[in-house]
Amino acid sequence: MTTFSIFLILIIIVSFLLVVVIMVQNPKGGGLSSSFGGGGTQQLGGVKKTTDFLDKSTWALATLLLALILLSNVDLMGGDAGQDPTVDTNDVEVIQDTPDTPVIDDTPEE
């Protein structure tokens, strides 16, 4: 398993957690829910600590997601990005390129 694969798995997990945390949060109001009379019922719970935790976890997961994406990009652009790890370079035969066009002698004739 390559480093990029590990980053990709972590990015998928963090993305899923971020979606779950965002979906759990109550809307802050002012949208369509307050237009239809649902704006006053959201203050009845009075759970301030939960919304603070969800807010902080949203920012933490978003920051972690951004950092993982940037680190995976750095790893992808690293030194071994163009090489296939399954190819053994010791068994590869080196073929010298020969020019296809004949060499023309441009010296003037006397």
Side-chain angles (χ1 to χ4, degrees), residues 9 17 21 25 35-36 42 45 48 51 59 67 76-77 82 95 100 103 105 108-110:
I9 291 169
L17 289 174
V21 167
Q25 291 179 5
S35 300
F36 295 112
Q42 293 165 350
K48 182 68 175 160
T51 53
W59 282 105
L76 186 63
M77 295 301 194
I95 300 173
D100 292 337
V103 178
D105 187 18
E109 295 182 17
E110 293 182 30

Side-chain angles (χ1 to χ4, degrees), residues 3-4 7-8 10-11 14-15 61-78:
T3 310
F4 183 73
F7 276 123
L8 190 62
L10 288 174
I11 287 170
V14 170
S15 299
L61 286 172
T63 306
L64 181 63
L65 181 65
L66 182 65
L68 283 173
I69 290 171
L70 291 175
L71 286 173
S72 68
N73 191 21
V74 168
D75 180 57
L76 186 63
M77 295 301 194

Side-chain angles (χ1 to χ4, degrees), residues 16-27 54 58:
F16 177 74
L17 289 174
L18 186 62
V19 167
V20 168
V21 167
I22 289 173
M23 294 299 286
V24 166
Q25 291 179 5
N26 287 330
L54 290 175
T58 301

